Amino acid sequence: MIRHSSLLWHYTYGAVFTALCAFAGLIGLVAYQLEDSMARQQSELLQLSQSRVLETLNADVKLAGKRLEFLFEDRVRRVSAIAADPNITKAIESRNNVAMSELLGPFAALDDIDGIVVLDDRGRIVGSSSYDTDIVALGSELPKLGFHEDITRSLRDSMPDKPLIFNRILTKEESRVFVPGKNVNALSQVMFVPVFDDFGYVVGGLLAQRWLREHEPMLTDLADINSFGLVVVHNNEIISRASFSGSIKDIEASADARHITAGGRHVIKCGMPIAPMSICALLPIEQLTETQSELTRIGTEEESKLLKRLFLFGLLALAAFAAVAFLLSRQITRPLTKITRVLSGIAAGDFENRVVGTERLDEVGDIARSVVSLQRSVKERDALRVRVHEKNTILRSQEAKLREQNVLFDAALNNMSHGLCMFDSRGRLIVSNQRYAELFELSEETIRPGMSSADIADVLDVELVETDVPVTKETNLPFARTKGGQQSTEMVRIRSGRIVLTTRQPLCDGGWVAISEDITERQEARDRLAFLARHDMLTQLPNRIEFRDQLEALLKRQKSQGGEFGILCLDLDEFKTVNDSLGHPIGDELLRQVAERLKDLISERELVVRLGGDEFAILTDLPVSVYAVDELAQSVIWELSKPFQIADHEIVIGVSVGITLSHGADVAGDELFKQADLALYQAKEDGRNTHRFFESDMGTAVNERRELITDLRHAIANDELELYFQPQYSLANNAITGFEALVRWNHPKRGMVPPMEFIPLAEDTGLIVPLGEWVLNEACRRASEWPDHLRVAVNLSPRQLRGHGFGPVLIGALSKSDFRADRLELEVTESVLLIESEEILDALHQAKTLGVKISMDDFGTGYSSLSYLRRFPFDKIKIDQSFVRSMAYSDESVSIVKAVIDLAKNLDMTTTAEGVETELLLEMLKDIGCTDAQGYFLGHPMPVSQLDELLFDCQPPLTAAAQ
């Protein structure tokens, strides 16, 4: 029987009526809105089309800005390429303004740059790309410009791998005109690029300027492709244009529409993608009108279609909604009626009625299952209340006994001298004492019973020092459970730096007890002894013992893992000179600073040690590539070549590096170290301050060196050496004044051995003393046969002057040859006086007292030549050939040589220029007042037979001898 007053019908009637009203309202609203929307549609479409055009013009403005940015970046790259040209570097170093103009002029024209000026390393203008540039006026204005500080910073802080490049768009007032030209505009791009020499030092820079063109080709191409006009505006003035021929008034916006020009002929959009210039894009107004008409037509057609479809869809939706509402309401109301009857039975005490709908998965099913749960809970409530009352009575009795036992346990636990924690078999904290919290600097509230060992480990701020438990991902130190119920210990460092030792003892139920104690003083004493045994006290670096242990460990790892590792042996160059000249305290501080730089260079996977003296070593980890080892060696050389500032001294040293790689072969550690040492020796042989990898034939080179030393010792003992003599000429009368004695060795098997090979060997082995004595005796003997006005010059080594044996040797050489002392000239280098030794000065003064002339050789290439001139009264200064040869192309070298000559005249000394190899150099030396000269242009070193022909050929004049 159907009741029309039930929920079913009320729900159905209401749903259908509501849907009908909604549909009628929707139809009326749509009908009302159609007429209004048609009026607004045309206006909205007009705005939409205008917005689309403005978006396109805005994109064109950004694209033009990007192209200008690319143009500016390209000019920076071009100027950087010019700065990298080695000819530019040479021109800056020589300060040759003509050469700069000849080089930079074509470069500027080729790269479309209006002007380039050249700055030296102090920021002063020394050249330009144009002869018309007023360098003096521009140089006085440059420091007043706003970007001068950026140029100064670039010259001071630039590095070859990180040059500081200045690049900015400036107005004519901010930048001035560097080079006069026809392209001067309101804005220009100003760039500065530093110039580096071959050694990576800044020698100056290029300051370039390019004015923005009135018709920039890149903007013209863009405007032609997209069929619009472009103008660049600055200070309300058009400075560049493309596909636009109007004036500034033609691009002003009208008062009513800010995107339409005042004349109404163009749509305009301006922006400032690159300060300080604005870029405006213009499009003819006809294109906007065509777009608006098309959009209006499309909108009208679409609105008509929408109204028809909406009416048809509404009728179908209304019918479907009525049917679905009826069916859904029927599915809901029937089971709710049955569930209501069951609830009434529960209220009356009947718990046996069956609830329908429990199998449903919707809300009705949830209600049915809730009623079933209510039936059960009400039924079990009374039985549960009885059982709870009985258990509460038992718990009150047990709680009283446990409270009494806890009081006694806490008293014993908190009076222990050690910290204690007890854990159950699940790793949960049972109890801990107050001393434990004090040891780990925690509050008592932080550690609570029931916490897991992992939770306590998170609370503790400790660093693991030592443990006998393998550390894995599951290990949660410092409370890891021991495997197999074994006792374990671990040592940790807390925040204050103190050391705590924890011992864990397993319990029979699977839990454990952890007992902790403070062992800081005991551990510090042990660590100190261990550190002293394996570290160098001066530099705090690991010592040779630690190096050998780490090397053996690496060899063992290599057998199992494979790969390669490297050994780098380091030896400081010129350290002995620093130590002898400045004292051992300075030398020790230098070693400490070297150690600090090496520690900063290496990574955590590498080890640096001090082997002793000025020898260091670096041990890389597994695996390592040859490229990485090579880079590390170059970094070490570069870093240690930088000056060291110690006290008031600026010290410059070098380092030689020998490298060997362990390739996994069965090679002992001592053999690997020997290979690195052989590579180090080869690096020192190849000129020092470099690195070499070990090669199999390096051992052969060592043997050859040993054989050469043996042969040299026999050659000195058996009189197998001979003297060559190089003539010295007086520039005043073009006549020979004397000869320099040079030792030569004609080996029976090797042939003529160069002096640069056996002289260093003689210095290193001490053979230079008997060799120098032989040269002195032989030179005096040969020179005694020459005419009386000719002198002979003999070079002295620092080793010959040490001790007190040189005086008797000199007197013996003069007496045996019956050679006048004033015809002998002894040449010493600055390194002889570098060591402040009284015995060396005494030996030189003794020779001076005998009448022997003393000359300073290679003047200007040492450490502090002027102080040596004050320390000892030399008779002659020999100007080093490096300065003489560079006089042909360097005005600075000419100035230096002239200054030395003037200094010698004021000190009543003569000067001899070495390395005269051309007639031009000879004439230049005459002009600046040099007294004597020698070199290949005047005469090569010659044996005694050729010398006799020269001497007894009536003393040929200078020009004839040169020919």
Side-chain angles (χ1 to χ4, degrees):
M1 180 177 179
I2 301 176
R3 296 184 301 168
H4 291 282
S5 61
S6 66
L7 289 175
L8 172 64
W9 291 108
H10 283 299
Y11 178 79
T12 303
Y13 293 153
V16 172
F17 181 74
T18 302
L20 182 61
C21 291
F23 177 69
L26 177 63
I27 294 300
L29 180 62
V30 170
Y32 174 77
Q33 290 293 332
L34 278 177
E35 184 177 355
D36 182 65
S37 64
M38 289 298 294
R40 289 185 292 105
Q41 185 179 35
Q42 184 174 3
S43 175
E44 292 175 356
L45 289 176
L46 291 176
Q47 295 178 1
L48 177 61
S49 61
Q50 182 176 348
S51 176
R52 295 275 179 86
V53 171
L54 291 177
E55 289 178 1
T56 302
L57 291 179
N58 189 44
D60 294 333
V61 170
K62 293 181 179 179
L63 180 59
K66 290 294 183 181
R67 290 215 170 188
L68 283 178
E69 288 180 359
F70 174 79
L71 175 65
F72 297 149
E73 292 174 358
D74 181 64
R75 289 300 177 273
V76 172
R77 287 192 292 269
R78 291 172 181 265
V79 175
S80 299
I82 296 173
D85 193 304
N87 293 325
I88 299 297
T89 304
K90 293 180 180 178
I92 295 176
E93 290 177 341
S94 65
R95 302 293 190 271
N96 192 331
N97 188 19
V98 176
M100 296 180 195
S101 299
E102 292 294 333
L103 287 171
L104 293 176
F107 279 141
L110 179 63
D111 294 332
D112 193 21
I113 298 173
D114 294 313
I116 303 175
V117 293
V118 184
L119 277 63
D120 62 8
D121 56 350
R122 296 186 179 178
R124 300 171 300 188
I125 298 179
V126 296
S128 170
S129 61
S130 172
Y131 294 106
D132 299 332
T133 304
D134 190 348
I135 295 178
V136 176
L138 184 59
S140 62
E141 292 181 1
L142 183 61
K144 304 175 184 177
L145 300 181
F147 54 86
H148 183 263
E149 183 178 349
D150 295 321
I151 294 176
T152 305
R153 186 183 305 108
S154 175
L155 290 171
R156 183 181 65 250
D157 299 337
S158 288
M159 300 295 291
D161 54 342
K162 294 181 179 180
L164 301 179
I165 297 176
F166 174 81
N167 179 29
R168 193 176 300 171
I169 306 302
L170 301 175
T171 63
K172 184 164 62 175
E173 292 75 15
E174 292 174 329
S175 66
R176 304 290 190 273
V177 179
F178 294 170
V179 177
K182 61 182 180 179
N183 296 319
V184 176
N185 206 335
L187 296 178
S188 67
Q189 179 186 6
V190 178
M191 303 153 281
F192 178 77
V193 178
V195 178
F196 302 91
D197 61 11
D198 294 338
F199 302 98
Y201 294 104
V202 175
V203 298
L206 300 183
L207 182 60
Q209 184 176 43
R210 183 189 184 275
W211 297 97
L212 188 66
R213 303 294 190 256
E214 183 177 358
H215 297 282
E216 196 67 60
M218 186 174 291
L219 296 181
T220 302
D221 295 340
L222 178 62
D224 292 342
I225 293 173
N226 295 337
S227 300
F228 63 89
L230 276 176
V231 293
V232 179
V233 181
H234 175 69
N235 285 343
N236 201 27
E237 178 184 351
I238 297 177
I239 62 174
S240 182
R241 64 184 71 212
S243 299
F244 180 77
S245 59
S247 63
I248 189 66
K249 294 182 178 180
D250 295 329
I251 64 172
E252 293 179 352
S254 65
D256 299 331
R258 60 190 182 94
H259 294 297
I260 305 297
T261 58
R265 290 178 296 177
H266 292 88
V267 180
I268 185 170
K269 180 66 176 179
C270 297
M272 188 180 287
I274 301 178
M277 65 180 71
S278 298
I279 300 177
C280 297
L282 300 96
L283 193 68
I285 197 68
E286 291 80 5
Q287 295 188 16
L288 176 62
T289 304
E290 293 174 0
T291 304
Q292 291 173 345
S293 301
E294 180 66 18
L295 291 177
T296 301
R297 184 187 63 78
I298 295 172
T300 303
E301 294 177 356
E302 291 300 321
E303 282 184 351
S304 176
K305 293 179 182 178
L306 177 63
L307 183 60
K308 294 177 182 179
R309 293 172 183 172
L310 181 63
F311 184 77
L312 178 61
F313 177 75
L315 292 176
L316 295 176
L318 181 63
F321 183 79
V324 172
F326 178 80
L327 295 176
L328 289 177
S329 61
R330 185 180 178 85
Q331 292 293 325
I332 296 173
T333 56
R334 275 191 175 184
L336 287 178
T337 303
K338 295 180 181 179
I339 291 173
T340 303
R341 294 195 190 105
V342 175
L343 289 173
S344 300
I346 293 173
D350 183 6
F351 305 112
E352 303 301 330
N353 289 335
R354 179 177 176 273
V355 181
V356 298
T358 56
E359 72 281 357
R360 294 179 61 162
L361 300 178
D362 55 4
E363 289 79 358
V364 175
D366 294 339
I367 295 173
R369 287 186 289 273
S370 299
V371 172
V372 173
S373 300
L374 180 62
Q375 280 182 326
R376 294 173 182 172
S377 62
V378 173
K379 187 176 181 180
E380 296 174 355
R381 181 181 56 191
D382 293 338
L384 181 61
R385 185 182 296 114
V386 174
R387 290 196 297 270
V388 169
H389 178 72
E390 293 176 352
K391 289 189 176 291
N392 283 339
T393 303
I394 297 173
L395 288 174
R396 290 191 191 97
S397 175
Q398 293 178 348
E399 183 179 359
K401 294 180 181 179
L402 184 61
R403 187 180 297 112
E404 182 180 356
Q405 292 178 355
N406 285 340
V407 171
L408 299 176
F409 181 73
D410 288 342
L413 194 63
N414 290 323
N415 286 281
M416 293 178 61
S417 60
H418 290 61
L420 181 141
C421 286
M422 180 180 292
F423 296 86
D424 60 16
S425 59
R426 296 179 301 166
R428 298 286 177 179
L429 178 65
I430 301 174
V431 67
S432 65
N433 64 354
Q434 183 178 355
R435 176 57 179 163
Y436 175 80
E438 293 174 354
L439 278 177
F440 289 97
E441 301 176 351
L442 302 173
S443 62
E444 296 183 6
E445 295 79 11
T446 306
I447 306 298
R448 302 180 303 277
M451 295 178 66
S452 66
S453 61
D455 295 335
I456 297 178
D458 292 337
V459 173
L460 298 180
D461 186 6
V462 298
E463 176 187 353
L464 180 63
V465 177
E466 184 179 321
T467 180
D468 57 1
V469 179
V471 179
T472 63
K473 292 183 179 179
E474 295 76 22
T475 303
N476 199 354
L477 295 173
F479 292 108
R481 187 182 307 185
T482 56
K483 296 183 179 180
Q486 297 179 354
Q487 180 179 350
S488 64
T489 61
E490 68 189 12
M491 193 184 304
V492 298
R493 180 179 286 105
I494 61 177
R495 285 175 296 181
S496 62
R498 302 195 67 80
I499 306 298
V500 176
L501 176 66
T502 300
T503 303
R504 291 187 297 277
Q505 181 65 42
L507 301 176
C508 58
D509 62 352
W512 71 92
V513 175
I515 300 175
S516 303
E517 62 174 321
D518 189 340
I519 60 167
T520 303
E521 287 75 14
R522 186 197 320 166
Q523 186 64 25
E524 287 179 351
R526 190 184 74 173
D527 292 344
R528 181 62 178 170
L529 291 176
F531 182 88
L532 293 176
R534 308 182 73 86
H535 287 76
D536 171 58
M537 293 306 299
L538 177 63
T539 61
Q540 302 299 306
L541 291 177
N543 59 13
R544 191 181 294 268
I545 297 175
E546 181 69 12
F547 175 79
R548 289 185 178 277
D549 290 347
Q550 294 293 337
L551 179 58
E552 294 299 328
L554 274 177
L555 288 172
K556 292 180 181 178
R557 285 176 51 199
Q558 188 182 40
K559 291 181 180 179
S560 59
Q561 299 178 11
E564 298 179 346
F565 67 88
I567 301 175
L568 290 79
C569 284
L570 284 62
D571 187 84
L572 303 182
D573 301 329
E574 304 300 330
F575 173 78
K576 187 177 185 305
T577 303
V578 174
N579 213 24
D580 292 341
S581 60
L582 301 179
H584 291 286
I586 298 296
D588 291 345
E589 180 59 25
L590 176 60
L591 290 176
R592 282 190 286 266
Q593 292 191 20
V594 168
E596 289 300 322
R597 292 191 184 183
L598 290 177
K599 285 191 289 186
D600 292 340
L601 278 176
I602 66 172
S603 64
E604 296 180 356
R605 299 176 60 245
E606 296 163 338
L607 176 71
V608 58
V609 301
R610 183 190 178 202
L611 300 176
D614 60 345
E615 296 180 0
F616 296 83
I618 298 177
L619 189 63
T620 68
D621 202 351
L622 279 170
V624 70
S625 65
V626 176
Y627 177 75
V629 175
D630 186 81
E631 276 196 332
L632 176 59
Q634 293 182 19
S635 299
V636 169
I637 294 172
W638 174 261
E639 191 65 25
L640 296 189
S641 297
K642 297 178 181 178
F644 292 85
Q645 191 66 38
I646 302 176
D648 295 330
H649 304 282
E650 185 181 59
I651 300 173
V652 179
I653 62 172
V655 62
S656 300
V657 183
I659 308 170
T660 185
L661 293 177
S662 176
H663 301 286
D666 191 10
V667 181
D670 290 339
E671 181 62 24
L672 287 174
F673 183 79
K674 181 180 178 182
Q675 292 176 0
D677 196 51
L678 288 174
L680 171 62
Y681 172 77
Q682 186 63 47
K684 297 176 77 67
E685 284 291 312
D686 291 345
R688 302 175 182 264
N689 205 32
T690 184
H691 69 283
R692 291 292 181 267
F693 283 85
F694 170 77
E695 298 176 0
S696 57
D697 60 347
M698 284 184 178
T700 304
V702 173
N703 293 331
E704 290 181 356
R705 182 177 186 270
R706 188 182 301 111
E707 293 177 359
L708 191 61
I709 292 173
T710 303
D711 293 342
L712 179 60
R713 183 176 289 107
H714 290 314
I716 297 173
N718 299 329
D719 201 17
E720 295 177 0
L721 303 173
E722 61 178 316
L723 287 184
Y724 276 46
F725 296 88
Q726 186 173 19
Q728 298 175 337
Y729 283 84
S730 171
L731 299 183
N733 54 13
N734 297 339
I736 297 178
T737 58
F739 295 86
E740 181 179 3
L742 303 171
V743 64
R744 295 292 184 265
W745 181 17
N746 191 359
H747 194 278
K749 296 181 180 179
R750 303 173 185 264
M752 191 65 73
V753 180
M756 65 182 63
E757 291 185 13
F758 69 87
I759 294 296
L761 286 180
E763 290 279 0
D764 294 340
T765 58
L767 292 176
I768 193 66
V769 175
L771 176 61
E773 182 177 349
W774 178 86
V775 171
L776 182 61
N777 282 281
E778 184 67 11
C780 291
R781 186 179 70 83
R782 291 289 185 182
S784 64
E785 302 172 357
W786 302 345
D788 292 340
H789 67 281
L790 296 180
R791 298 188 303 270
V792 64
V794 178
N795 291 280
L796 290 183
S797 168
R799 282 177 173 260
Q800 293 178 257
L801 297 174
R802 293 177 183 172
H804 300 282
F806 179 72
V809 171
L810 176 61
I811 296 173
L814 294 174
S815 61
K816 285 189 293 184
S817 61
D818 196 19
F819 189 63
R820 288 205 329 263
D822 61 346
R823 295 177 58 194
L824 176 62
E825 183 176 297
L826 299 179
E827 296 183 0
V828 297
T829 60
E830 296 171 8
S831 59
V832 172
L833 297 178
L834 180 62
I835 304 173
E836 297 185 359
S837 173
E838 292 297 327
E839 59 187 16
I840 291 179
L841 291 176
D842 291 343
L844 292 177
H845 280 294
Q846 184 179 6
K848 186 85 171 177
T849 304
L850 294 174
V852 176
K853 307 295 183 182
I854 307 297
S855 301
M856 176 177 282
D857 197 12
D858 300 333
F859 181 81
T861 61
Y863 297 86
S864 54
S865 302
L866 296 180
S867 64
Y868 298 146
L869 293 178
R870 179 177 55 85
R871 190 181 306 171
F872 186 84
F874 290 94
D875 299 292
K876 177 186 289 188
I877 294 176
K878 297 194 71 174
I879 305 172
D880 186 74
Q881 58 186 350
S882 61
F883 293 108
V884 176
R885 291 173 179 170
S886 60
M887 287 173 58
Y889 56 88
S890 173
D891 294 337
E892 293 180 353
S893 296
V894 175
S895 300
I896 292 173
V897 173
K898 189 175 186 304
V900 172
I901 294 172
D902 294 338
L903 175 65
K905 289 179 180 178
N906 294 332
L907 296 177
D908 198 19
M909 300 179 187
T910 59
T911 51
T912 297
E914 297 179 298
V916 179
E917 297 179 353
T918 63
E919 186 176 359
L920 174 62
L921 292 176
L922 187 64
E923 295 300 325
M924 293 176 69
L925 290 169
K926 286 182 179 180
D927 293 339
I928 60 178
C930 184
T931 57
D932 299 288
Q934 71 180 80
Y936 286 172
F937 178 76
L938 302 174
H940 290 258
M942 60 191 71
V944 176
S945 57
Q946 296 182 12
L947 175 66
D948 293 338
E949 295 177 3
L950 178 64
L951 287 178
F952 300 107
D953 192 18
C954 299
Q955 291 290 310
L958 183 65
T959 54
Q963 294 173 358

